[in-house]
Amino acid sequence: MTPERLLLIAGVDEAGRGPLAGPVVTAAVILDPARPIDGLDDSKVLAEPVRESLAVLIRARALAFAVCVVDPVEIDRINILRATLVGMTRALAMLSPAPLLALVDGNHLPKDLPCPGRAVIGGDASEPAISAASILAKTERDRLMRDWDAVHPGYGFARHKGYPTPEHLDALERLGPCPIHRTSFAPVRRLIAPALL
């Protein structure tokens, strides 16, 4: 096997498992050792301007990257864990060149990966390729939630990105769910259930 082939290791991560609204976004990245990127880390510990700058570098310097968006309808249909794992598989399948190994953040490994895989707990802070995937997933999801904020004003999506903050929960009580809310999540389901009776 050539050295180039040995380098085809993809990092995989997600953003958006916990929010009450919006998609879960997954990303897969194969880094290029010849074009290193300084400062890669878990996206959650990076300031937003740093994340955004790193995302530009990752897209410019990676051997391959892919981002997959799983919408709230699919999340509600198959549940958030399965939606996340499906998104990871789809992101990996989109990579060209195809990876020989996938390093997946967390302790769950999708069953139908297009290549061998290994779950890495805390990988977004310890494996640069997973860190890169974490950054792409987070920045893409944040961008989508800012866009949705303009479509569904009043919820504060641009600020809290759909997470169950006091501001979001208050808006949910006042305005009711909007089309991007996850109806299978308890705080949203509780508001919808009376309307179905």
Side-chain angles (χ1 to χ4, degrees), residues 145-170:
M145 294 308 293
R146 287 192 295 271
D147 291 347
W148 280 119
D149 185 68
V151 177
H152 301 290
Y155 293 95
F157 290 140
R159 290 183 296 279
H160 54 65
K161 310 300 189 290
Y163 283 89
T165 63
E167 176 193 7
H168 188 189
L169 293 172
D170 177 66

Side-chain angles (χ1 to χ4, degrees), residues 4 6 13 23 54 73 83 87 99 101 126 143 145 160 179 183 189:
E4 291 78 14
L6 290 172
D13 203 1
L54 285 169
V73 172
L101 175 67
S126 63
R143 183 190 68 77
M145 294 308 293
H160 54 65
T183 58
R189 188 173 66 243

Side-chain angles (χ1 to χ4, degrees):
M1 188 176 293
T2 65
E4 291 78 14
R5 292 287 288 164
L6 290 172
L7 299 176
L8 297 179
I9 298 174
V12 188
D13 203 1
E14 54 75 27
R17 282 182 63 176
L20 305 178
V24 63
V25 177
T26 59
V29 178
I30 302 174
L31 292 174
D32 184 351
R35 306 183 75 192
I37 302 169
D38 292 332
L40 294 175
D41 203 343
D42 175 2
S43 65
K44 294 184 292 295
V45 306
L46 297 170
E48 183 175 353
V50 175
R51 275 198 308 267
E52 295 291 341
S53 295
L54 285 169
V56 172
L57 289 176
I58 293 162
R59 290 171 179 269
R61 297 184 186 177
L63 283 175
F65 69 88
V67 177
C68 178
V69 177
V70 182
D71 67 34
V73 172
E74 188 166 7
I75 291 169
D76 289 332
R77 184 169 58 82
I78 64 176
N79 80 44
I80 186 60
L81 175 59
R82 287 180 60 198
T84 301
L85 298 178
V86 164
M88 289 177 167
T89 298
R90 290 174 184 165
L92 279 166
M94 292 162 63
L95 290 176
S96 180
L100 297 182
L101 175 67
L103 302 178
V104 179
D105 185 58
N107 58 1
H108 289 95
L109 199 62
K111 294 178 181 176
D112 53 352
L113 289 177
C115 64
R118 179 160 54 89
V120 183
I121 296 173
D124 48 7
S126 63
E127 292 283 350
I130 299 178
S131 299
S134 169
I135 290 164
L136 288 192
K138 172 68 173 162
T139 54
E140 178 64 12
R141 188 176 190 283
D142 284 357
R143 183 190 68 77
L144 291 171
M145 294 308 293
R146 287 192 295 271
D147 291 347
W148 280 119
D149 185 68
V151 177
H152 301 290
Y155 293 95
F157 290 140
R159 290 183 296 279
H160 54 65
K161 310 300 189 290
Y163 283 89
T165 63
E167 176 193 7
H168 188 189
L169 293 172
D170 177 66
L172 197 52
E173 290 284 348
R174 287 185 293 103
L175 303 173
C178 76
I180 67 163
H181 276 101
R182 301 173 182 179
T183 58
S184 59
F185 281 46
V188 181
R189 188 173 66 243
R190 179 178 61 78
L191 294 172
I192 291 173
L196 300 177
L197 296 177

